[in-house]
Amino acid sequence: MKMNNDPLLSVKDLRTCFRTTNGLARAVDGISFDIPAGKTLALVGESGCGKSVTALSIMRLIQEPAGYIAGDRIIFQGQDLLKLSKRKMREIRGNRISMIFQEPMTSLNPVMTIGEQIMEVIQLHRGLSKKEALGLAVEMLNQVKIPDPAIRISEYPHQLSGGMKQRVMIAIALSCEPDLLIADEPTTSLDVTVQAQILMLMKELQQKEGTAILLITHDIAVVYEVADYITVMYAGRAIEQAKRSRFFRHACHPYTTRLFESLPSMDKRNEQLSTIPGRVPDPTRYPEGCRFADRCHLAFDRCNKEDPKMRFIEKGHSIACHLENAPAISTATATITRKTEGRATYTSSPLVSVKDLKIYYPIRKGLLKSIVGHVKAVDGIDISIGQGETLALVGESGCGKTTMGRGILRLIDITCGTIHFNNIDIMHISGSKLRRLRKDMQIMFQDPYGSLNPRMMVNQIISEGLISQGIGGNKKERDNIVKELMDQVGLDPGMIHRYPHEFSGGQRQRIGIARFLAVKPKFVVCDEVTSALDVSVQAQILNLLKTLQQREDLSYLFITHNLSVVTYIADLVAVMYLGKIVERGTIREVFDTPGHPYTQALLAASPCIGEDGRKKIFLEGEVPSPVNPPEGCHFHPRCPKVMPGCRKVYPGQYSLSETHSTRCWLYE
Amino acid sequence: MRRYIIKRGVLLIPVIMGVVTFVFLLIHLIPGDPVDMMLGETAQQADREMLRTRLGLNDPIHLQYYKFIKGIVRGDLGDSIHYNRPVLEIIIDRFPATLELTLGAIVIAILISIPVGIIAAARQYSIFDNSSMLLALLGISMPNFWLGPLLIIVFSIKLGWLPVSGMGGLTYLILPSVTLGTSMAAILSRMTRSSLLEVIRKDYITTARAKGLSELVIMVKHALTNALLPIVTIIGLQFGALLSGSIITEMIFSWPGIGRLTIQAIITRDYPLVQGCVLFIALCYVMVNLLTDLLYVFIDPRIRLSE
């Protein structure tokens, strides 16, 4: 791909391998791309396709001897990084090329102050005295917009929030004014509002310093917002490369188009999402032909025999595909006719009805553990969910969504309030009655790795609920039910005797679904169930949840921070902020005409494809601690429309329509 | 931080009370009459009565307990029957020798184990790693009563480099410290290695590498400081093993410390002295664990800054 006469970084046929017990894993297998100075190249793809390994290879941080770079060249400012001595490479790392990582929570050394961690790199590469380095470190913190940098500099990482830590990481990375910044999923673990802040900050600093950025992400919407060039990676290789403007109109590799089609959105509400069957091939055993052939809906004979080479289909746009006229993506241009809305009003007698739910955690201090205050995780919430309905609960992390979900199922202690399930008051029933009722109300968790007992086989995991509820007579009968369930959720019933570690993330979430389906529930709390999954897998899980809902007339409480998932799956949405619901309504009402400034900001902050020139509302700061929520409306310190009255009293509920209401003084 | 320290201190009170009670009961837990055990069955009735009165065994048990605690608070642990001197005085006499020996053992253990652990972790599965961990396994498996005489045979008798036994200058300290410190060195080097291996997989180590720091700086400044918490814990816990190990080691090398004193007290059935020694060793152990807890404060800012 020809971009510029003299790119800053030119990766040529990079190959990185790892020795594993199954043989040689070719994690990166011949990728080439260029990054011009001052521009952003996004490396996109599903997990396991070699994005991070590519980044680590450029930094030469592949851990030897298990891994090694087999070829060919990484030309940075005219010199081949692979030919440099270790010492010379160390002079480049953190200095000319620096890197930030996905997990700000764990990327900083917990026993060193953030000042020490910034100064360390400054002193190392710039040869400044301690005093000069300190001054520069404060200046860097200021640049990344950390308030009170002179005080914050002597704090430790655990005293900062996730967004703040990522700012510190950026400060470390940019303190030596590098020419290239490698950002490996820098905003994936952050809230959309903080993500918007961090992306904005990176863009600003890029414009000021002229730093080139290699952005690694799986989020195409983020790519749309920040990238100049895009390289789509699959199974260790680039399969499509283009400029941003062309990519979002004419991307045409079947893998890329499928990725686009699997993104959930409001327009697709009444249809199944496209999915990509199968999974990324094992890097120890790549197929002979095209590596995507067995998952490709357009594959033909030649694909299985011959490996497609990258070829230009237009100036600055190349793909690795045998198709002569591959159909381009349609989402950016085509408007899908909106079908009639699904049922979106409360049914007369809701299945789940929660009134004034409060979940407080006592704060204990001192030797005698006396209670000095309360964390109001959930502070007076009313919701109701009808049979077959999906209510989405959205909000930034720390606002009490998960506590709320668990509270409704009485999995945690409730301070006060009433919960009716199927007209039964579950706050005041005995433990044994509640246990019997558990059959009807289930939960599914976010982390597909942590939520399955690693020492139990799939059949044990799924049949546990059957046993406890006395369903299925003997083991053989139960095994048959388990097999049936596995088939229903799209798992091979032959894998009944396998352990969780033998499954992929998406398959594990399917096990999670089979586990709750086993007891035929009426109501399921889905707590961020797709946030750990790739988009194509997310699409599969969303499809499955939707199909099951229609067939079994299930009700879901869908807890998520991903707004596009909400628009696809939910009928109703409730926006939560610091323990209270600030806005609720049907999807259309809340997303088309958001009333509360917080909802407006959330919607504006979430990246979106095809909305150029959309007015961005940047929320300052982060969710305050629920220990001491701000007086009056909890949102007022961050609210762009704050009025004097907001600081005094929490607003009441104002109806905007029969189903749409908000708690904001603007509507008084 | 102050809260943390006070909390740790307050938590010690029940532990110390438990230890004191147990030591008090020691004399009553002996099967049969303790006086018979001490004097033998052939002793005169008058002697027995005298000892009984001296030990206060005629008093009701709660009064005995009260007197015992009162004595401890005043620093009076009773008199040794064998030496006819206050128990505390004898213990204070002997304590420096034990302290010297255990400190020697700890220093040797740390000097060996930390570098070995670092190199083994930095070169996982290398020849150095494999052989040092094999040696460590051997070190843990070797009992003191076997290692001590072996070292004496090789270094004192065959090679004649070091004195066989007794206490004197630094040369006298080497063999007993090595004997006592070997198993701790072995456990510590395995601990250091595994703790470091865990730490060097952490993201912040990748961050440190991405900064362009050298491997040595990364290992010592970034990895070791984070790996220190479990290492310090083990040192604290091992101190108990060291104290009990010193009983045997001191016997082998005729080292005039608390350990040998305890054994002698047991052999001579000098119960007040046994009580004193056990109480003293237990309190040492408790104090070291308190020190370990306090060390955490300096190692980990998350503990230091909580509350």
Side-chain angles (χ1 to χ4, degrees):
Chain A
M1 182 165 56
K2 200 178 166 199
M3 289 174 178
N4 203 317
N5 290 340
D6 213 8
L8 175 76
L9 178 85
S10 180
V11 173
K12 299 238 185 280
D13 198 25
L14 175 69
R15 275 168 286 125
T16 305
C17 306
F18 292 91
R19 296 181 186 92
T20 71
T21 43
N22 296 330
L24 201 61
R26 289 176 287 163
V28 174
D29 195 30
I31 189 171
S32 306
F33 56 84
D34 293 344
I35 307 177
K39 296 288 180 192
T40 301
L41 175 107
L43 209 52
V44 193
E46 286 179 282
S47 47
C49 66
K51 304 187 300 284
S52 293
V53 176
T54 305
L56 291 173
S57 301
I58 295 170
M59 292 290 270
R60 272 183 56 193
L61 285 175
I62 299 296
Q63 281 306 296
E64 291 167 342
Y68 63 95
I69 299 174
D72 185 49
R73 276 171 298 159
I74 300 172
I75 312 291
F76 175 73
Q77 292 177 328
Q79 54 183 344
D80 187 352
L81 295 183
L82 298 182
K83 293 211 170 73
L84 291 183
S85 67
K86 280 187 178 167
R87 198 200 170 93
K88 276 261 179 315
M89 192 62 217
R90 281 210 300 271
E91 284 168 17
I92 289 191
R93 265 183 227 143
N95 187 16
R96 304 321 330 139
I97 307 178
S98 55
M99 190 162 176
I100 50 179
F101 302 91
Q102 174 169 359
E103 274 301 332
M105 294 297 172
T106 55
S107 298
L108 290 168
N109 189 334
V111 302
M112 285 168 76
T113 63
I114 58 172
E116 283 167 355
Q117 300 189 52
I118 303 174
M119 284 159 65
E120 184 179 49
V121 70
I122 297 173
Q123 285 179 293
L124 180 71
H125 293 299
R126 292 185 141 190
L128 297 181
S129 71
K130 206 166 177 181
K131 208 177 151 196
E132 290 167 318
L134 181 69
L136 191 58
V138 173
E139 164 63 25
M140 285 314 298
L141 287 183
N142 201 21
Q143 271 201 35
V144 296
K145 294 179 183 154
I146 287 184
D148 310 322
I151 299 165
R152 284 295 167 105
I153 199 152
S154 51
E155 291 193 346
Y156 288 89
H158 73 274
Q159 295 169 291
L160 305 177
S161 68
M164 286 293 169
K165 281 185 206 165
Q166 200 61 307
R167 284 168 196 268
V168 172
M169 280 301 289
I170 294 176
I172 291 174
L174 296 182
S175 57
C176 292
E177 293 167 8
D179 301 300
L180 175 65
L181 172 68
I182 301 176
D184 189 353
E185 304 266 13
T187 58
T188 306
S189 58
L190 305 174
D191 277 315
V192 278
T193 50
V194 184
Q195 164 168 292
Q197 294 168 6
I198 296 285
L199 290 178
M200 181 74 183
L201 177 70
M202 283 170 62
K203 240 176 170 174
E204 267 176 37
L205 294 173
Q206 177 176 41
Q207 273 158 15
K208 207 158 83 189
E209 311 286 341
T211 315
I213 297 177
L214 172 62
L215 177 73
I216 293 172
T217 182
H218 67 279
D219 189 338
I220 299 178
V222 167
V223 172
Y224 183 83
E225 305 241 318
V226 298
D228 298 304
Y229 301 94
I230 291 114
T231 293
V232 181
M233 234 183 137
Y234 187 78
R237 287 186 181 169
I239 53 157
E240 179 153 18
Q241 292 182 315
K243 272 191 165 182
R244 172 179 179 270
S245 53
R246 187 164 168 87
F247 184 82
F248 284 93
R249 242 168 246 149
H250 305 288
C252 60
H253 192 284
Y255 175 68
T256 316
T257 53
R258 268 287 146 107
L259 274 186
F260 273 98
E261 285 161 20
S262 59
L263 291 173
S265 75
M266 197 170 322
D267 297 333
K268 298 177 191 165
R269 278 180 67 85
N270 295 310
E271 49 194 275
Q272 291 263 304
L273 293 171
S274 291
T275 59
I276 306 173
R279 52 208 278 198
V280 182
D282 182 349
T284 59
R285 278 182 293 273
Y286 284 129
E288 194 185 333
C290 173
R291 288 171 188 183
F292 186 59
D294 61 334
R295 301 174 74 189
C296 182
H297 57 299
L298 299 171
F300 56 104
D301 270 0
R302 192 176 160 202
C303 301
N304 288 317
K305 290 180 198 129
E306 196 187 321
D307 197 6
K309 296 275 167 294
M310 277 299 256
R311 63 187 170 90
F312 284 101
I313 55 168
E314 184 87 8
K315 186 171 177 287
H317 184 186
S318 53
I319 61 167
C321 181
H322 291 309
L323 284 172
E324 273 309 320
N325 282 308
I329 48 165
S330 54
T331 44
T333 46
T335 44
I336 295 162
T337 45
R338 284 172 185 169
K339 292 170 192 165
T340 47
E341 275 287 295
R343 182 168 31 150
T345 45
Y346 296 116
T347 43
S348 53
S349 161
L351 180 70
V352 181
S353 163
V354 176
K355 289 252 167 349
D356 200 27
L357 185 71
K358 287 182 182 160
I359 303 172
Y360 293 176
Y361 293 110
I363 307 164
R364 291 172 194 275
K365 269 200 180 137
L367 287 170
L368 297 170
K369 304 265 179 221
S370 53
I371 298 171
V372 295
H374 285 96
V375 178
K376 297 176 178 174
V378 174
D379 192 17
I381 278 186
D382 307 322
I383 55 167
S384 57
I385 305 169
Q387 180 102 36
E389 247 172 21
T390 302
L391 170 71
L393 200 56
V394 299
E396 290 167 281
S397 48
C399 69
K401 304 188 298 282
T402 295
T403 312
M404 170 83 191
R406 287 175 195 198
I408 291 179
L409 298 183
R410 273 196 65 193
L411 291 171
I412 49 178
D413 286 334
I414 287 158
T415 313
C416 67
T418 58
I419 304 169
H420 281 87
F421 179 78
N422 220 357
N423 292 322
I424 303 164
D425 179 2
I426 66 166
M427 284 296 289
H428 301 101
I429 58 172
S430 66
S432 60
K433 267 195 185 144
L434 181 66
R435 266 201 300 285
R436 272 199 299 280
L437 209 61
R438 290 232 175 276
K439 173 177 131 12
D440 291 335
M441 22 185 233
Q442 291 286 310
I443 186 165
M444 185 179 166
F445 300 99
Q446 168 175 12
D447 179 9
Y449 297 90
S451 55
L452 301 176
N453 187 336
R455 302 201 190 283
M456 282 167 80
M457 285 185 288
V458 176
N459 67 329
Q460 292 171 314
I461 291 171
I462 299 175
S463 63
E464 211 175 19
L466 295 176
I467 295 168
S468 73
Q469 298 293 342
I471 307 169
N474 53 29
K475 192 177 179 307
K476 209 175 157 197
E477 267 174 56
R478 279 199 303 271
D479 273 1
N480 282 334
I481 298 176
V482 169
K483 280 180 188 164
E484 214 170 278
L485 287 165
M486 287 176 76
D487 195 44
Q488 272 185 43
V489 298
L491 287 170
D492 176 9
M495 304 199 281
I496 185 164
H497 293 300
R498 297 220 183 156
Y499 287 94
H501 72 265
E502 297 174 78
F503 293 88
S504 69
Q507 285 174 320
R508 283 176 213 222
Q509 287 305 59
R510 285 170 192 270
I511 296 173
I513 294 175
R515 174 164 62 177
F516 75 66
L517 273 186
V519 295
K520 296 199 186 316
K522 294 193 176 81
F523 172 59
V524 183
V525 173
C526 301
D527 190 356
E528 298 274 11
V529 289
T530 61
S531 55
L533 306 174
D534 279 312
V535 278
S536 69
V537 185
Q538 167 175 289
Q540 295 169 12
I541 298 296
L542 291 178
N543 282 343
L544 181 59
L545 287 172
K546 227 171 180 176
T547 315
L548 290 170
Q549 175 166 46
Q550 274 154 18
R551 204 173 60 210
E552 314 277 338
D553 210 18
L554 284 171
S555 306
Y556 294 133
L557 175 67
F558 210 89
I559 299 169
T560 183
H561 65 275
N562 187 332
L563 298 178
S564 50
V565 168
V566 173
T567 59
Y568 175 73
I569 199 152
D571 305 307
L572 298 159
V573 60
V575 182
M576 206 168 160
Y577 190 77
L578 277 180
K580 289 184 190 286
I581 287 177
V582 296
E583 180 160 9
R584 69 173 86 220
T586 64
I587 294 295
R588 276 257 168 263
E589 285 167 340
V590 174
F591 280 74
D592 290 350
T593 54
H596 199 284
Y598 179 61
T599 317
Q600 292 166 359
L602 268 188
L603 291 176
S606 57
C608 198
I609 301 169
E611 286 191 25
D612 266 331
R614 185 168 51 125
K615 193 174 163 253
K616 285 250 158 188
I617 305 166
F618 282 101
L619 274 190
E620 295 291 325
E622 290 158 35
V623 184
S625 154
V627 179
N628 269 318
E631 280 285 307
C633 171
H634 296 339
F635 186 60
H636 84 255
R638 300 170 78 194
C639 184
K641 296 177 182 166
V642 63
M643 303 176 292
C646 300
R647 298 191 175 94
K648 293 185 191 115
V649 188
Y650 203 92
Q653 187 154 313
Y654 302 99
S655 292
L656 300 169
S657 82
E658 199 185 319
T659 47
H660 190 186
S661 64
T662 182
R663 299 187 77 170
C664 178
W665 286 117
L666 282 175
Y667 299 91
E668 177 71 315
Chain B
M1 180 169 87
R2 249 177 58 198
R3 266 171 202 285
Y4 174 83
I5 295 173
I6 293 170
K7 206 164 140 187
R8 292 287 131 183
V10 170
L11 281 177
L12 277 190
I13 294 170
V15 175
I16 291 174
M17 281 313 290
V19 167
V20 168
T21 309
F22 175 75
V23 169
F24 166 74
L25 289 176
L26 207 61
I27 205 159
H28 298 279
L29 289 173
I30 305 158
D33 188 346
V35 175
D36 279 350
M37 298 298 287
M38 279 182 242
L39 296 180
E41 280 174 22
T42 53
Q44 296 289 317
Q45 190 58 34
D47 289 341
R48 296 161 82 126
E49 271 313 311
M50 210 177 77
L51 185 61
R52 210 175 275 281
T53 320
R54 203 175 128 191
L55 292 177
L57 290 175
N58 290 327
D59 297 334
I61 192 151
H62 59 271
L63 196 65
Q64 289 183 39
Y65 186 54
Y66 171 72
K67 281 185 177 164
F68 184 71
I69 290 185
K70 203 167 97 180
I72 289 174
V73 173
R74 286 184 183 160
D76 177 14
L77 297 175
D79 290 341
S80 156
I81 295 161
H82 183 74
Y83 293 93
N84 225 340
R85 281 171 62 201
V87 166
L88 189 68
E89 211 178 287
I90 304 169
I91 290 176
I92 288 172
D93 260 5
R94 296 290 197 97
F95 180 58
T98 300
L99 191 68
E100 191 182 319
L101 178 60
T102 39
L103 284 183
I106 288 181
V107 167
I108 283 180
I110 290 175
L111 284 183
I112 296 173
S113 62
I114 304 283
V116 166
I118 291 177
I119 300 172
R123 309 211 155 121
Q124 198 187 3
Y125 304 132
S126 66
I127 296 172
F128 180 88
D129 180 26
N130 287 332
S131 49
S132 63
M133 286 309 115
L134 191 74
L135 268 175
L137 192 68
L138 248 145
I140 296 170
S141 323
M142 261 188 304
N144 288 352
F145 59 79
W146 182 78
L147 180 65
L150 188 78
L151 290 176
I152 293 175
I153 292 170
V154 175
F155 291 98
S156 309
I157 298 172
K158 290 265 154 97
L159 295 170
W161 291 353
L162 296 164
V164 175
S165 68
M167 197 181 166
L170 203 59
T171 48
Y172 286 85
L173 185 62
I174 295 173
L175 284 188
S177 307
V178 170
T179 308
L180 189 56
T182 298
S183 73
M184 184 168 175
I187 292 170
L188 261 191
S189 37
R190 290 182 78 93
M191 194 65 214
T192 308
R193 174 183 179 269
S194 63
S195 180
L196 274 174
L197 280 179
E198 196 180 306
V199 169
I200 57 176
R201 292 199 181 92
K202 292 272 165 75
D203 291 344
Y204 52 80
I205 298 298
T206 315
T207 306
R209 290 212 171 94
K211 282 178 173 175
L213 298 171
S214 70
E215 279 301 304
L216 187 70
V217 174
I218 291 170
M219 267 303 186
V220 176
K221 192 171 165 190
H222 286 266
L224 191 61
T225 46
N226 277 287
L228 225 45
L229 219 48
I231 296 174
V232 168
T233 310
I234 290 291
I235 294 178
L237 288 175
Q238 278 293 303
F239 189 81
L242 233 47
L243 281 175
S244 56
S246 72
I247 294 177
I248 294 160
T249 312
E250 284 179 10
M251 284 306 285
I252 297 168
F253 290 95
S254 306
W255 192 264
I258 303 276
R260 206 160 69 122
L261 184 70
T262 311
I263 296 282
Q264 282 164 348
I266 292 168
I267 291 170
T268 55
R269 303 213 167 106
D270 189 347
Y271 280 92
L273 190 54
V274 173
Q275 275 182 320
C277 287
V278 171
L279 185 67
F280 189 79
I281 290 176
L283 288 182
C284 277
Y285 187 54
V286 169
M287 290 322 283
V288 166
N289 275 298
L290 175 70
L291 272 178
T292 318
D293 279 350
L294 296 186
L295 258 182
Y296 288 172
V297 173
F298 292 97
I299 296 169
D300 197 329
R302 282 165 292 190
I303 300 173
R304 179 161 69 235
L305 297 171
S306 65
E307 301 240 340

